[in-house]
Amino acid sequence: MKRIQLLATIAGVSLAVLGSATPSRGVTPDDAAILARFDDFVTADLACAQLAAERGHAKEVRDFAKTLVSEHGMAHQLARDVAALINTTLKTSSDSPRAAEHAKILKALRERPDIAFDVLFVRHEVEYHKDLVAFINKEWIPAAKSADLSSLLTQAGPAFENHLAMATELQKTRIP
């Protein structure tokens, strides 16, 4: 029991160090910026999910990760399709805060064995999806000018809310 509590504490500290990206107030992004940020979120989590699909300790964690790989992969392709429709090119910035956070979480995940991996991954997914859903609902949908981008975000929002619910449920039932 003490080992589980220690693992939970380690994972919590790791998440605190990695921080979270909450929606910013102020400058309203244009459609190209919204789409690029959406794609950055999806692409970053796709890499985490691929790692978890391979290295997850619990079957439920690996299955959840496989769902994320599939659905985030579709969202990534839809972002590319919308970029073509609105005549913009998606540019991934290697110096964005999301890229730095992504590198830290991947490093932290690679360093965790067994259940500690699962704890960190699931906690990361809860926080990640909270942030993504907040960006979609509070910032990106209201700011989107293109009907195609608005449609993508409106359709993606409930899917990511479902991912949040799945991660939260895993956290309650499988992760200490």
Side-chain angles (χ1 to χ4, degrees):
M1 185 64 174
K2 288 189 186 246
R3 180 173 182 247
I4 291 173
Q5 289 172 333
L6 176 63
L7 293 173
T9 301
I10 290 169
V13 168
S14 296
L15 282 174
V17 168
L18 296 178
S20 66
T22 55
S24 61
R25 301 292 173 237
V27 178
T28 302
D30 65 8
D31 284 358
I34 293 168
L35 192 56
R37 288 177 68 201
F38 174 82
D39 191 57
D40 281 349
F41 261 87
V42 170
T43 301
D45 199 50
L46 187 54
C48 289
Q50 288 168 331
L51 184 61
E54 296 168 10
R55 294 199 40 208
H57 179 68
K59 180 183 181 321
E60 294 89 343
V61 170
R62 290 190 310 274
D63 289 346
F64 173 57
K66 288 174 187 174
T67 297
L68 294 179
V69 168
S70 174
E71 294 182 11
H72 284 244
M74 287 187 288
H76 177 67
Q77 183 57 52
L78 288 171
R80 301 254 177 240
D81 294 346
V82 170
L85 289 171
I86 66 173
N87 217 10
T88 191
T89 303
L90 289 176
K91 296 176 187 159
T92 302
S93 173
S94 61
D95 63 345
S96 74
R98 177 67 41 201
E101 182 179 328
H102 169 64
K104 286 179 185 176
I105 191 69
L106 280 176
K107 182 180 185 300
L109 284 169
R110 286 186 182 110
E111 293 172 350
R112 299 296 190 274
D114 304 327
I115 190 71
F117 177 96
D118 289 2
V119 169
L120 179 59
F121 173 71
V122 172
R123 287 188 177 176
H124 165 72
E125 290 305 313
V126 168
E127 293 306 313
Y128 161 86
H129 283 92
K130 281 180 186 177
D131 288 346
L132 181 55
V133 167
F135 272 115
I136 288 171
N137 293 329
K138 295 178 182 173
E139 191 170 309
W140 298 341
I141 288 175
K145 305 229 180 335
S146 161
D148 294 313
L149 176 57
S150 185
S151 177
L152 167 66
L153 296 170
T154 302
Q155 291 175 25
F160 292 124
E161 288 171 0
N162 185 50
H163 295 170
L164 173 58
M166 292 168 71
T168 302
E169 183 62 26
L170 260 178
Q171 193 174 40
K172 287 179 186 174
T173 61
R174 293 291 306 161
I175 303 301

